[in-house]
Amino acid sequence: MSTPAITIENLTKEFTNPSVFSRGKVTAVENLSLTVEPGQVYGLLGPNGSGKSTTMKIVLGLVVPTSGRTCIFGRDSRDVESREAVGFLPENPYFYKFLTGSETLSFYGRLCGLGGKMLRDRSRELLALVGLETAADRRVGGYSKGMLQRIGLAQALVQDPRLLVLDEPTAGVDPAGSHEIRDLILRLKQRGITVLLCSHLLSQVQEICDRIGIMNHGQLVREGALDDLISIENQTEFVLENASPALLAELRERASAAGARVVCEQKPQQNLERYFLEVTAEQGGEKK
Amino acid sequence: MTSGNTRTAAAVHASAHKLFSLRRTAAIATNTFRDLVRQKVFYFMLVFGLIIIGVSLALASFSFQGQLQTVMDVCLGAMSVFTMLLAVLATAMMLPKDMEDRTLYTILAKPVSRFEYLVGKLAGVTMILVVATLLMTAAFFVVLHFWQGREIENLQLTEPAERAAAAISKIKAGTFTPTLLGGIGVILLRSIVCAALTLMLSCFATSWLFTVIVSLMVILAGHLVPIARSVWQGPLGAADAPFHIAILMRLITVFVPDMQLFNIVDDIAVGISVDAGVFLHIAGLGAGYVLVYLLVGWLFFAWREL
């Protein structure tokens, strides 16, 4: 059996209330246990303040737990070595704005022990991967929100990590950029990289995650394989193409005769994001 | 990128972890240096340094004698103030800015220890201070050389040849001395101590403004350390001072750097020769302060919730 990418055991984190007038403890995470297997895309979901970011920070060793422990590929998160295998993209990241995109990647690469030709090649490769080749020599201070997110993703991938931790990777990014990031995550998944993802874009989570955990008030309230959690066991969906009214009427009759109930019958709608991307791509083509 | 489950050369290369890596520390240091240079903090301070040197020229031109002394006095004083301000201001903003921009998260999420981060940051500021001191020294020496030439010319015109020759050799021997270079070294060391102190304070402060104010107050209080020490160690002893005053004075001597130690530069500015042993003593104490502040800062930073 392979070592889990992330192990969280009985994790609890309490913060001291910063208010001068009401001292006391605020519980951000309470007795949380979960495992993320290698190669999985795991979505950690929950409303704001549910403890997702705190959990991520503890996994990355940025915050010390009150009790319990977290491990990355079997190594305690508090050990610096555990981060050799991790790439992290925080929510709304900002980098040193006086550095260029290429210098930014070079800096993070050197932190991971890379150097020389290997680092230069790696930086070029990643800039191409996230579509920032033409902006490589521009200072990060002049990057748009989407570009910042993409350079953030590139820095997270610089040492070719086995685990990627992404906190709202598409926050503030336009639909096209968001679509690209989603595709990139899917490509990383195909290459065997484990992804821990926090996102409020539930449609996107549904498209890319194998397994999800839902947190609320610091507790894990639901956890499991995405398909198991959201499929409705006693219902079946057909999508028919070129079905005649007569065939549809017959199906309704047969269903009724067999004791089944037609819950819904409608024209399937295409995804709004896909429609938007098609329209903008067409417009772009016309302008060219 | 990886192909299948095969890890790339980058991944394999990056996985040889050392407890303390000079490479990682150097990456943070050079990045800090580059960031500060591009923020033009350094150019701003340099311009101020040059303005003060210009003022020294103006002052010297009004005085009939001792121009060299005035130039030396003003320039060394200006260098002291600017390197100290540069150290405090550049250092105070580093940590809060990295936390606010979340760059600290991306750095510490790499295999970088908090100690390496702090050492790298201090090394980066030290690099800025070294370059600033070198540039100010170069400007100072150009001005000093100019005024040395003027004074020699003046002596040749106004004094009899024999007397002038003696005075000229005295001027030449007393201007660009090893003591002067030692004094500039002390100025640099003092600024590094100020940077280490500021970094330590920023490890538990919640805003850069608080860090700047407290750092400047501590540096100011540092000039009172010998007085504080005399209260509880002096001939009268702590017993003669009120209890709370004695405790306060004792705390000052323990936690506040003895900035009076570095005021040897004032003696050098008026031409007093200083023994090499004194410089070594100051260098040792300065290095001790830097080390202690770094370790105390790390203790705070290691447990700080990010």
Side-chain angles (χ1 to χ4, degrees):
Chain A
M1 209 176 127
S2 61
T3 312
I6 299 174
T7 313
I8 300 175
E9 289 170 357
N10 308 317
L11 185 72
T12 295
K13 178 63 193 176
E14 290 173 339
F15 288 107
T16 308
N17 194 335
S19 168
V20 179
F21 303 105
S22 58
R23 304 300 279 183
K25 303 278 184 185
V26 176
T27 305
V29 180
E30 194 178 345
N31 201 27
L32 174 71
S33 295
L34 63 87
T35 303
V36 179
E37 294 299 333
Q40 267 183 357
V41 178
Y42 192 102
L44 195 57
L45 314 176
N48 290 336
S50 60
K52 306 182 303 285
S53 293
T54 303
T55 305
M56 275 193 173
K57 285 180 184 176
I58 295 172
V59 168
L60 292 161
L62 299 173
V63 170
V64 180
T66 308
S67 64
R69 72 191 286 253
T70 60
C71 292
I72 296 172
F73 293 106
R75 282 175 164 170
D76 195 302
S77 293
R78 281 173 295 185
D79 296 340
V80 176
E81 300 97 294
S82 69
R83 277 160 248 155
E84 278 168 10
V86 187
F88 173 53
L89 173 67
E91 187 182 358
N92 299 321
Y94 286 91
F95 299 98
Y96 292 108
K97 61 181 181 179
F98 294 99
L99 297 185
T100 64
S102 162
E103 286 168 348
T104 301
L105 290 190
S106 176
F107 168 59
Y108 285 100
R110 286 168 68 202
L111 292 182
C112 298
L114 304 177
K117 189 176 176 301
M118 186 189 287
L119 179 56
R120 282 194 299 276
D121 290 347
R122 183 79 185 139
S123 296
R124 263 198 300 272
E125 190 187 350
L126 287 170
L127 286 165
L129 183 79
V130 297
L132 287 175
E133 297 134 298
T134 51
D137 297 322
R138 269 171 58 192
R139 290 195 178 175
V140 169
Y143 277 18
S144 68
K145 183 97 179 155
M147 289 163 89
L148 280 174
Q149 212 72 15
R150 282 189 275 161
I151 196 75
L153 204 52
Q155 68 76 26
L157 289 166
V158 76
Q159 84 274 33
D160 197 8
R162 287 191 287 162
L163 169 67
L164 205 52
V165 179
L166 307 173
D167 194 0
E168 300 289 352
T170 52
V173 182
D174 65 24
S178 174
H179 186 76
E180 282 172 21
I181 291 174
R182 187 198 63 186
D183 285 351
L184 181 62
I185 295 171
L186 286 172
R187 288 206 299 276
L188 295 170
K189 177 187 171 181
Q190 282 169 3
R191 287 165 176 153
I193 294 176
T194 313
V195 180
L196 175 65
L197 172 75
C198 258
S199 178
H200 288 300
L201 289 175
L202 301 182
S203 61
Q204 206 169 63
V205 170
Q206 191 175 346
E207 280 181 310
I208 58 177
C209 289
D210 304 307
R211 206 173 170 85
I212 59 160
I214 300 176
M215 291 185 73
N216 201 15
H217 301 299
Q219 291 178 322
L220 190 68
V221 290
R222 289 282 187 284
E223 205 264 343
L226 186 67
D227 291 341
D228 296 345
L229 291 176
I230 61 172
S231 48
I232 304 168
E233 282 303 314
N234 64 343
Q235 289 185 10
T236 308
E237 201 174 58
F238 282 101
V239 179
L240 304 174
E241 200 172 52
N242 302 325
S244 64
L247 174 63
L248 292 174
E250 192 184 332
L251 285 173
R252 269 182 234 116
E253 271 174 32
R254 284 200 167 204
S256 178
R261 185 172 67 94
V262 178
V263 178
C264 170
E265 189 185 325
Q266 61 176 27
K267 298 271 183 210
Q269 292 176 335
Q270 71 168 309
N271 181 303
L272 179 61
E273 186 192 78
R274 207 172 295 275
Y275 177 70
F276 175 87
L277 292 172
E278 274 172 22
V279 170
T280 49
E282 272 171 28
Q283 290 292 311
E286 280 168 19
K287 275 187 183 172
K288 278 173 195 168
Chain B
M1 293 302 307
T2 50
S3 170
N5 284 330
T6 313
R7 304 195 68 208
T8 63
V12 174
H13 192 272
S15 64
H17 189 85
K18 287 180 192 164
L19 209 59
F20 181 84
S21 159
L22 273 179
R23 191 175 196 148
R24 289 193 292 266
T25 310
I28 295 168
T30 49
N31 189 61
T32 304
F33 176 76
R34 185 157 43 186
D35 194 48
L36 285 170
V37 168
R38 290 185 185 173
Q39 280 188 56
K40 297 189 171 63
V41 172
F42 166 66
Y43 298 114
F44 168 77
M45 298 306 289
L46 180 68
V47 169
F48 266 73
L50 292 173
I51 288 170
I52 292 296
I53 289 169
V55 169
S56 81
L57 285 175
L59 278 173
S61 64
F62 286 118
S63 114
F64 292 102
Q65 53 184 359
Q67 291 99 329
L68 265 178
Q69 207 53 66
T70 312
V71 166
M72 215 182 275
D73 209 5
V74 173
C75 286
L76 286 174
M79 283 171 73
S80 294
V81 171
F82 286 116
T83 50
M84 190 264 284
L85 281 178
L86 179 61
V88 172
L89 294 175
T91 313
M93 283 183 229
M94 287 188 312
L95 208 59
K97 199 169 162 293
D98 274 8
M99 286 179 79
E100 200 181 310
D101 292 349
R102 299 186 184 88
T103 40
L104 186 61
Y105 295 167
T106 53
I107 292 171
L108 295 180
K110 299 286 181 202
V112 175
S113 70
R114 295 190 184 199
F115 186 66
E116 284 169 336
Y117 173 81
L118 284 186
V119 174
K121 284 286 172 189
L122 185 61
V125 174
T126 302
M127 283 159 73
I128 278 282
L129 292 171
V130 168
V131 174
T133 306
L134 284 175
L135 287 171
M136 281 199 262
T137 303
F140 169 38
F141 279 8
V142 167
V143 172
L144 203 60
H145 185 260
F146 171 77
W147 280 101
Q148 189 191 42
R150 283 280 298 265
E151 197 143 316
I152 289 169
E153 223 171 75
N154 195 36
L155 282 169
Q156 283 167 339
L157 289 173
T158 56
E159 298 291 333
E162 204 175 302
R163 225 171 125 183
I168 288 167
S169 63
K170 197 180 165 194
I171 286 172
K172 282 185 173 173
T175 311
F176 293 99
T177 59
T179 305
L180 181 60
L181 286 174
I184 292 168
V186 169
I187 290 173
L188 174 64
L189 182 63
R190 182 167 76 167
S191 68
I192 297 170
V193 170
C194 292
L197 171 75
T198 310
L199 189 65
M200 178 191 77
L201 292 169
S202 74
C203 286
F204 59 84
T206 47
S207 79
W208 69 268
L209 191 62
F210 170 85
T211 309
V212 168
I213 292 170
V214 175
S215 298
L216 292 176
M217 280 169 65
V218 172
I219 291 165
L220 199 68
H223 290 95
L224 304 173
V225 166
I227 300 168
R229 194 180 289 126
S230 71
V231 169
W232 68 276
Q233 269 187 342
L236 293 174
D240 295 318
F243 179 72
H244 62 282
I245 297 287
I247 291 290
L248 181 70
M249 295 299 119
R250 194 159 192 153
L251 286 175
I252 286 175
T253 55
V254 171
F255 293 107
V256 174
D258 184 356
M259 299 309 283
Q260 204 66 35
L261 187 75
F262 302 101
N263 276 1
I264 194 165
V265 178
D266 296 344
D267 294 341
I268 293 166
V270 293
I272 296 170
S273 181
V274 179
D275 194 50
V278 175
F279 284 122
L280 281 175
H281 175 70
I282 295 170
L285 279 171
Y289 278 132
V290 171
L291 193 68
V292 167
Y293 292 145
L294 194 62
L295 289 173
V296 174
W298 171 65
L299 284 177
F300 282 111
F301 191 51
W303 292 101
R304 185 166 179 171
E305 306 277 16
L306 300 176

